[in-house]
Amino acid sequence: MVSYKRLSPEEVHFSGAPLLEPPPDDSGNSAVRAEDPELPLLARRPQCSSTTALLTLGGLILVVLAIWLLGTVLWLRSPPSSEVHKPLTPVEAWRFDCYPERGVVVTEEMCHARNCCFVHDSKARPPGQNGVPYCFYPPDFPSYELVAINDVEMGYTGKLIRTQKTYYPKDIETLQFDVLYESNNRLRMKITDPANERYEVPIDVPVVKTRAPNPMYTVEFIKKPFGLIVKRKQNGAVLLNTTVAPLFYADQFLQMSTSLPSTFVYGLGEHRSNLLHDVQWNTLTMWARDAAPVELTNLYGAHPFSLLMESDGLAHGLFLLNSNAMDVVLQPAPALTWRTVGGILDLYVFLGPDPASVIGEYLEVIGKPAMPVYWALGYHLCRWGYDSSNKTWEVVKEMRNYGIPQDVQWNDIDYMDNALDFTYNPVNFSTLPNLVNDLHINNQHYVMILDPGISSTQPAGSYWPFDEGIRKDIFINNSSGDLLIGKVWPGLTAFPDFSNPDTHEWWYQNLQKFHSKVPFDGLWIDMNEPSNFFDGSVNGCPENELETPPYTPGVLGGTLRAKTVCASAQHKTTSHYNVHSLYGLMEAKASASALKRILGKRPFVISRSTFPSQGLYSGHWLGDNRSRWKDLYMSIPGMLTFNLLGIPLVGADICGFSDNSTEELCVRWTQLGTFYPLSRNHNTKESQAQDPTMFSPAARAAMKEALLLRYSLFPFLYTLFHHAHLNGHTVARPLFFEFPLDNKTYSIDKQFLWGKSLLVTPVLEPGVDYVVGYLPKGVWYDFYTGESLVSKGEEVKLHAPLDKIILHLREGTITPTQRPNTTLWVSSGQPLHLITCLSEEGLAEGDLFWDDRDSLDTYETGHYAYITFKLRKNTMTSEVVHSDVEATYITVEMVSFYGVNTKPNSVIVNSQEAEFSYTANQVLTVEDLGLNLGQNFTIRWM
């Protein structure tokens, strides 16, 4: 790492020189401009051989070794970390890749042509793979210089200039640099081109007019080469330090790097990985792609937000608001590099200081998730391969016959007529309207799939969606302005341009027309990366700078057009190059808006492709997984990551989408899926049917028991979604959110919490009747029995027969549950059972949000009830903080108190003595209460 003098904003107003000036350029070419084709891209410097590279970095090594020695002393005096470190020399860990292009065998000559250092050793990466770079930036690699800075109302604005070209074309030589003190715990940095407007992501972010009065951070500027350092005031921790590598800002190559205070990095979706990212030269590519989930591949969505845990339990977040194709590179220094091919650099820093606060601050920027309609939290069933409405109906009836809970029935594309959107097969699905009416009569709901591709080959006048789309000019065009034609399930297709407001109206009209025939309740929007069976179009794509940018991130397929539309395709607002990864978000926004207009209730939309702010409009499922034990496990980090990204309504296909599930796997997956915020069983027509009715009586009973358990927890889950909507909280939560000082929790992704109180420890391996789980320090209670376990922060082996999932409740919490039924409409009217878990001090608290469960904006319009429960000194009280008639329809029938040390002599309920029971495992239960939820009550024991 290069050490420069760190200047305060006040010092930058003067001509203070940096501590380490670059060596003077004696080539005479420092003023070479981009237009001169006869001269090299960069003024050539003496070449960096292995020897000269080590000499150049010698000072760096001495600094790093000094830091290492100091760190060793501190480490010897510190408790051991659970983190596993691979041995790397400091020089290797701090190499920033100067030749990141994929599939290129980098030679010493190629590297030196970029004026970079080349060291070829056995530890460096093989060509085309992640690893220690052969070719890396020297300390004096030319970057931008901060030549002016001014104090403005919101922070600082500055001018950056570059006097020497880089090796990518169209360097932007003069930049505007803005630092905005938006809140005490949020800093924003924007680097833009003052001479030309560049694409900026069109999501609504806060426009702040007043500078933060007491920021939790300090900001320092480095003049030459330009850099920014952000520190936490509380302890001086460096959260952002862009001096570690040169800044690039060319027309199609923007790159910025920062050191990281630790290796604990989360977020950065959508990828199949552990919850805790590997920082050993790990490149995470972001460019929405239709690809079955595998590791090291860009998947359906793009989320350039990272959460970082610091060494002392504090946390912060980094969010680059950019929708172009991007690589985010993690390296073991630790450090992070953002590398994108367009747009601007618009970076937010969130100070937390705890992980939950970081997520709340992030969602203040991108938008907090919508409150879901109640039935979204029930059990969903789907299959690509029912093949008829009657077969679909038979499955629903079988579920009812066995008394297995189900709220929602879905259909995949087999319901359509020749895979055409807004149609249904008139032969095989002729009874579809009757099926949907039957679902409604039984308090159930219906969701159908839609793909964005609209058939372009139907006879003129026979297919209104295409004909009307042509008339309104709402489809994506190619770079010549003609209709772009791709191929999806119906054959040749056109793609709606959801960046166009007229498309939203067209989408609504199509949905309204179809709803008059089949009164569906929600939408499943698939294939919306957008997916295309061609690379680009039926005619390919032109050869231009959008299709073949100077740098292509590590996208699956190697080109931006791989299995999608041409990057040079034209939307109403800009090229597809800029909005590709926004396509699913824009379609979700149009879909949610249309459903609100049609139904007048909360919309239910599940989208495959996602982008920041998606939670405002839709949930997400984790894509085309497989019926394998590894996929069962990988669904947990996927679910947790999307909760960090502001999309809490998320889940994986229970029992797996492809391959055949075994009975044991499907039982264990149903148990885990019970605790997905979105609980849906779905698979493909090539696989055996896997709904709960297809298995043995014992397996069927275990699945039914798990789903009834989910339905009993509906009041708790619904309240968690209220807090997600109101405060930006997570629903499914990593353990380190609640135990940030326990670094053993930092890598746990085989367990998770609902809220702060319910710990889920699923079985994720075949052939076992136990599971080893970690219990953080404190008292934990067996959910089913109330048996207590005092943990020092340790792993515990727990008995887990096939018909049981392990659940624990945390001390100091009160969890509302409900007598379950087979639909949430019926369940949600049943009496409550409050489970109260005493802390060692005899304290507990909880809450409940309640409304009519499907109307729009109930919190915003005041049509809701909110009740808090508290236990102090053997006395439990409820307080109706906000009242609504809905609460008066519900009664509290039972309260259980876990952890009552001695048997009471009496229990008093609202001044009246009540009967109670007390068991040897210290559980006090008071039943047959009949307390109105809409009125305050008191329960006391003596």
Side-chain angles (χ1 to χ4, degrees), residues 618-630:
S618 84
H620 172 63
W621 95 104
L622 297 174
D624 296 343
N625 59 4
R626 295 185 177 185
S627 298
R628 299 179 180 179
W629 288 92
K630 181 178 180 180

PDB file of all heavy atoms in Angstrom, residues 618-630:
ATOM      1  N   SER A 618     -41.563  -6.523  -5.392  1.00  0.00           N
ATOM      2  CA  SER A 618     -41.679  -7.978  -5.554  1.00  0.00           C
ATOM      3  C   SER A 618     -40.821  -8.717  -4.547  1.00  0.00           C
ATOM      4  O   SER A 618     -39.945  -8.142  -3.890  1.00  0.00           O
ATOM      5  CB  SER A 618     -41.262  -8.402  -6.973  1.00  0.00           C
ATOM      6  OG  SER A 618     -39.860  -8.558  -7.084  1.00  0.00           O
ATOM      7  N   GLY A 619     -41.070 -10.015  -4.472  1.00  0.00           N
ATOM      8  CA  GLY A 619     -40.167 -10.947  -3.819  1.00  0.00           C
ATOM      9  C   GLY A 619     -39.333 -11.647  -4.863  1.00  0.00           C
ATOM     10  O   GLY A 619     -39.315 -11.275  -6.046  1.00  0.00           O
ATOM     11  N   HIS A 620     -38.660 -12.707  -4.443  1.00  0.00           N
ATOM     12  CA  HIS A 620     -37.721 -13.393  -5.328  1.00  0.00           C
ATOM     13  C   HIS A 620     -37.628 -14.858  -4.923  1.00  0.00           C
ATOM     14  O   HIS A 620     -37.745 -15.179  -3.737  1.00  0.00           O
ATOM     15  CB  HIS A 620     -36.346 -12.728  -5.209  1.00  0.00           C
ATOM     16  CG  HIS A 620     -35.224 -13.433  -5.922  1.00  0.00           C
ATOM     17  ND1 HIS A 620     -35.193 -13.592  -7.292  1.00  0.00           N
ATOM     18  CD2 HIS A 620     -34.091 -14.015  -5.453  1.00  0.00           C
ATOM     19  CE1 HIS A 620     -34.077 -14.238  -7.635  1.00  0.00           C
ATOM     20  NE2 HIS A 620     -33.398 -14.507  -6.542  1.00  0.00           N
ATOM     21  N   TRP A 621     -37.483 -15.727  -5.919  1.00  0.00           N
ATOM     22  CA  TRP A 621     -37.104 -17.092  -5.572  1.00  0.00           C
ATOM     23  C   TRP A 621     -35.730 -17.356  -6.161  1.00  0.00           C
ATOM     24  O   TRP A 621     -35.309 -16.683  -7.101  1.00  0.00           O
ATOM     25  CB  TRP A 621     -38.159 -18.099  -6.026  1.00  0.00           C
ATOM     26  CG  TRP A 621     -37.946 -18.744  -7.344  1.00  0.00           C
ATOM     27  CD1 TRP A 621     -37.501 -20.013  -7.579  1.00  0.00           C
ATOM     28  CD2 TRP A 621     -38.161 -18.154  -8.654  1.00  0.00           C
ATOM     29  NE1 TRP A 621     -37.439 -20.256  -8.929  1.00  0.00           N
ATOM     30  CE2 TRP A 621     -37.827 -19.137  -9.601  1.00  0.00           C
ATOM     31  CE3 TRP A 621     -38.580 -16.892  -9.098  1.00  0.00           C
ATOM     32  CZ2 TRP A 621     -37.921 -18.893 -10.980  1.00  0.00           C
ATOM     33  CZ3 TRP A 621     -38.673 -16.643 -10.448  1.00  0.00           C
ATOM     34  CH2 TRP A 621     -38.342 -17.641 -11.374  1.00  0.00           C
ATOM     35  N   LEU A 622     -35.007 -18.317  -5.607  1.00  0.00           N
ATOM     36  CA  LEU A 622     -33.586 -18.461  -5.873  1.00  0.00           C
ATOM     37  C   LEU A 622     -33.261 -19.242  -7.139  1.00  0.00           C
ATOM     38  O   LEU A 622     -32.112 -19.612  -7.356  1.00  0.00           O
ATOM     39  CB  LEU A 622     -32.894 -19.108  -4.669  1.00  0.00           C
ATOM     40  CG  LEU A 622     -32.962 -18.274  -3.380  1.00  0.00           C
ATOM     41  CD1 LEU A 622     -32.383 -19.059  -2.203  1.00  0.00           C
ATOM     42  CD2 LEU A 622     -32.234 -16.947  -3.553  1.00  0.00           C
ATOM     43  N   GLY A 623     -34.270 -19.491  -7.973  1.00  0.00           N
ATOM     44  CA  GLY A 623     -33.994 -20.015  -9.300  1.00  0.00           C
ATOM     45  C   GLY A 623     -34.007 -21.528  -9.394  1.00  0.00           C
ATOM     46  O   GLY A 623     -34.485 -22.243  -8.516  1.00  0.00           O
ATOM     47  N   ASP A 624     -33.455 -22.012 -10.500  1.00  0.00           N
ATOM     48  CA  ASP A 624     -33.603 -23.414 -10.895  1.00  0.00           C
ATOM     49  C   ASP A 624     -32.577 -24.307 -10.193  1.00  0.00           C
ATOM     50  O   ASP A 624     -31.596 -24.762 -10.791  1.00  0.00           O
ATOM     51  CB  ASP A 624     -33.473 -23.542 -12.413  1.00  0.00           C
ATOM     52  CG  ASP A 624     -34.592 -22.814 -13.136  1.00  0.00           C
ATOM     53  OD1 ASP A 624     -35.601 -22.509 -12.497  1.00  0.00           O
ATOM     54  OD2 ASP A 624     -34.442 -22.550 -14.336  1.00  0.00           O
ATOM     55  N   ASN A 625     -32.849 -24.574  -8.914  1.00  0.00           N
ATOM     56  CA  ASN A 625     -31.956 -25.431  -8.139  1.00  0.00           C
ATOM     57  C   ASN A 625     -32.185 -26.905  -8.464  1.00  0.00           C
ATOM     58  O   ASN A 625     -33.001 -27.246  -9.316  1.00  0.00           O
ATOM     59  CB  ASN A 625     -32.132 -25.166  -6.633  1.00  0.00           C
ATOM     60  CG  ASN A 625     -33.562 -25.413  -6.170  1.00  0.00           C
ATOM     61  OD1 ASN A 625     -34.424 -25.852  -6.932  1.00  0.00           O
ATOM     62  ND2 ASN A 625     -33.833 -25.120  -4.913  1.00  0.00           N
ATOM     63  N   ARG A 626     -31.476 -27.774  -7.774  1.00  0.00           N
ATOM     64  CA  ARG A 626     -31.588 -29.209  -8.018  1.00  0.00           C
ATOM     65  C   ARG A 626     -31.948 -29.938  -6.733  1.00  0.00           C
ATOM     66  O   ARG A 626     -31.726 -29.445  -5.626  1.00  0.00           O
ATOM     67  CB  ARG A 626     -30.258 -29.754  -8.556  1.00  0.00           C
ATOM     68  CG  ARG A 626     -29.902 -29.190  -9.917  1.00  0.00           C
ATOM     69  CD  ARG A 626     -28.641 -29.832 -10.467  1.00  0.00           C
ATOM     70  NE  ARG A 626     -28.347 -29.336 -11.809  1.00  0.00           N
ATOM     71  CZ  ARG A 626     -27.356 -29.793 -12.571  1.00  0.00           C
ATOM     72  NH1 ARG A 626     -26.566 -30.765 -12.123  1.00  0.00           N
ATOM     73  NH2 ARG A 626     -27.153 -29.296 -13.772  1.00  0.00           N
ATOM     74  N   SER A 627     -32.489 -31.118  -6.887  1.00  0.00           N
ATOM     75  CA  SER A 627     -32.883 -31.934  -5.733  1.00  0.00           C
ATOM     76  C   SER A 627     -31.653 -32.646  -5.180  1.00  0.00           C
ATOM     77  O   SER A 627     -31.473 -33.862  -5.328  1.00  0.00           O
ATOM     78  CB  SER A 627     -33.953 -32.951  -6.159  1.00  0.00           C
ATOM     79  OG  SER A 627     -35.102 -32.296  -6.608  1.00  0.00           O
ATOM     80  N   ARG A 628     -30.810 -31.857  -4.552  1.00  0.00           N
ATOM     81  CA  ARG A 628     -29.567 -32.365  -3.994  1.00  0.00           C
ATOM     82  C   ARG A 628     -29.367 -31.767  -2.602  1.00  0.00           C
ATOM     83  O   ARG A 628     -29.799 -30.649  -2.321  1.00  0.00           O
ATOM     84  CB  ARG A 628     -28.375 -32.025  -4.891  1.00  0.00           C
ATOM     85  CG  ARG A 628     -28.490 -32.632  -6.282  1.00  0.00           C
ATOM     86  CD  ARG A 628     -27.313 -32.276  -7.165  1.00  0.00           C
ATOM     87  NE  ARG A 628     -27.445 -32.859  -8.505  1.00  0.00           N
ATOM     88  CZ  ARG A 628     -26.562 -32.680  -9.472  1.00  0.00           C
ATOM     89  NH1 ARG A 628     -25.480 -31.945  -9.263  1.00  0.00           N
ATOM     90  NH2 ARG A 628     -26.745 -33.226 -10.663  1.00  0.00           N
ATOM     91  N   TRP A 629     -28.653 -32.505  -1.764  1.00  0.00           N
ATOM     92  CA  TRP A 629     -28.441 -32.040  -0.396  1.00  0.00           C
ATOM     93  C   TRP A 629     -27.627 -30.750  -0.376  1.00  0.00           C
ATOM     94  O   TRP A 629     -27.862 -29.876   0.474  1.00  0.00           O
ATOM     95  CB  TRP A 629     -27.748 -33.131   0.422  1.00  0.00           C
ATOM     96  CG  TRP A 629     -28.672 -34.273   0.730  1.00  0.00           C
ATOM     97  CD1 TRP A 629     -28.851 -35.415   0.003  1.00  0.00           C
ATOM     98  CD2 TRP A 629     -29.584 -34.364   1.834  1.00  0.00           C
ATOM     99  NE1 TRP A 629     -29.802 -36.215   0.578  1.00  0.00           N
ATOM    100  CE2 TRP A 629     -30.268 -35.602   1.715  1.00  0.00           C
ATOM    101  CE3 TRP A 629     -29.879 -33.532   2.911  1.00  0.00           C
ATOM    102  CZ2 TRP A 629     -31.231 -36.013   2.633  1.00  0.00           C
ATOM    103  CZ3 TRP A 629     -30.827 -33.940   3.838  1.00  0.00           C
ATOM    104  CH2 TRP A 629     -31.500 -35.163   3.696  1.00  0.00           C
ATOM    105  N   LYS A 630     -26.688 -30.601  -1.287  1.00  0.00           N
ATOM    106  CA  LYS A 630     -25.929 -29.355  -1.325  1.00  0.00           C
ATOM    107  C   LYS A 630     -26.840 -28.172  -1.620  1.00  0.00           C
ATOM    108  O   LYS A 630     -26.683 -27.089  -1.041  1.00  0.00           O
ATOM    109  CB  LYS A 630     -24.807 -29.437  -2.365  1.00  0.00           C
ATOM    110  CG  LYS A 630     -23.973 -28.167  -2.416  1.00  0.00           C
ATOM    111  CD  LYS A 630     -22.840 -28.252  -3.412  1.00  0.00           C
ATOM    112  CE  LYS A 630     -22.034 -26.957  -3.425  1.00  0.00           C
ATOM    113  NZ  LYS A 630     -20.908 -26.998  -4.391  1.00  0.00           N
TER     114      LYS A 630
END
